[in-house]
Amino acid sequence: MRIVRDGALLSVVASTYLLVLMRLNPRIFVRHYPKEIRDIVPPKSERERRMSILLGLLMGAPFASAVLWRTATLGSHSFWELFAYAFGVLFIFNLVDLFILDWLVVCCIKPRWVIPPGTEHIVTPNPYLHHFKGFLAGSVGLLFVGLAVAALAHFLF
């Protein structure tokens, strides 16, 4: 239950953060858009590149440290229990990102502010599949993140 509760809390906070960022400037997320859109959108400006890195750090560092801290405070658990917790919490966010942010907001509701300027006329074939592939790639990445968090929590704390 702890994994579900903490994963839900992380998902609410992180999803809100991502929606606000997307509302402010969807070009920050241009590398996550389908190829048809990426081909038309001009490259990010130097300011947008710096902003993408900074915002990624501002999101990644607190969430990673929160998951690490929470994993470390679970008590004396095995490495694999720590991994299951860290991976589970992050995987729940990955699911919320796919179903709520990607499929519901971006693919289904399609608010005007998620579409980069100049690409309104582009019809992307199979956007649901595009986001599902991103989900699968993210899930593989989470395996490594979960292992790293478990290792840090197990060996440092």
Side-chain angles (χ1 to χ4, degrees), residues 39-68:
D39 288 345
I40 292 175
V41 174
K44 289 182 190 177
S45 68
E46 183 59 35
R47 181 176 182 268
E48 288 172 326
R49 279 194 293 279
R50 284 193 312 268
M51 183 186 255
S52 294
I53 293 168
L54 177 63
L55 294 174
L57 291 173
L58 287 175
M59 180 179 176
F63 291 120
S65 63
V67 171
L68 174 61

Side-chain angles (χ1 to χ4, degrees), residues 92-156:
I92 288 172
F93 168 69
N94 201 26
L95 283 171
V96 169
D97 179 55
L98 174 67
F99 290 121
I100 305 297
L101 298 180
D102 293 340
W103 285 0
L104 180 64
V105 174
V106 174
C107 292
C108 188
I109 297 173
K110 298 179 192 173
R112 207 175 296 165
W113 47 266
V114 302
I115 301 167
T119 65
E120 297 85 355
H121 64 285
I122 301 300
V123 176
T124 57
N126 235 341
Y128 292 94
L129 180 60
H130 168 78
H131 292 290
F132 185 70
K133 289 177 182 178
F135 164 79
L136 292 177
S139 297
V140 171
L142 291 180
L143 287 171
F144 296 105
V145 172
L147 289 170
V149 168
L152 286 170
H154 186 70
F155 296 113
L156 295 179

Side-chain angles (χ1 to χ4, degrees), residues 42 69 87 139:
W69 175 81
F87 176 79
S139 297

Side-chain angles (χ1 to χ4, degrees), residues 11-29:
S11 297
V12 167
V13 173
S15 296
T16 302
Y17 179 77
L18 290 173
L19 284 171
V20 167
L21 291 178
M22 187 172 282
R23 178 72 172 106
L24 293 174
N25 187 355
R27 286 179 44 82
I28 292 170
F29 300 96

